[in-house]
Amino acid sequence: GRCYTLGLFSLSRNINYLGDVILFAGWALLSSAWWNAWVPLTMASIFYFHHIPDKEAYLAKRYARDWPSYSAKTPSFIPWSNSIVGSKG
């Protein structure tokens, strides 16, 4: 198989993790309790520093043909953020 790089995955290599963080950030905002911000912040940190590097190391090996160009042009976590966060890839 080939690495899927279309649709939302053309905006972020980990768009599913970003969606989870946005969902829980919305919940934290709707709760009107500022202390609930720990949930999406913790999730984002765990995704960015643990899950994403592990997953991308696997994907770089699994899709050695497609991964270099995909990771070079697509942000790791936040769409349109290559210049801010870096592609880590």
Side-chain angles (χ1 to χ4, degrees):
R2 302 282 306 267
C3 182
Y4 184 74
T5 62
L6 303 175
L8 292 175
F9 285 93
S10 69
L11 302 175
S12 168
R13 296 191 310 263
N14 295 282
I15 199 75
N16 52 326
Y17 293 152
L18 180 63
D20 289 344
V21 171
I22 290 170
L23 172 72
F24 281 89
W27 165 78
L29 285 171
L30 287 173
S31 73
S32 298
W34 65 268
W35 57 84
N36 284 328
W38 74 270
V39 175
L41 292 173
T42 301
M43 289 175 68
S45 295
I46 291 170
F47 289 150
Y48 192 77
F49 295 110
H50 178 67
H51 292 296
I52 290 173
D54 287 350
K55 185 182 100 174
E56 291 195 349
Y58 165 77
L59 292 174
K61 290 177 190 167
R62 173 72 171 89
Y63 300 107
R65 185 170 130 196
D66 299 324
W67 192 256
S69 65
Y70 176 56
S71 64
K73 68 181 179 185
T74 309
S76 176
F77 194 46
I78 301 171
W80 307 290
S81 67
N82 274 342
S83 62
I84 299 168
V85 178
S87 63
K88 287 184 69 177

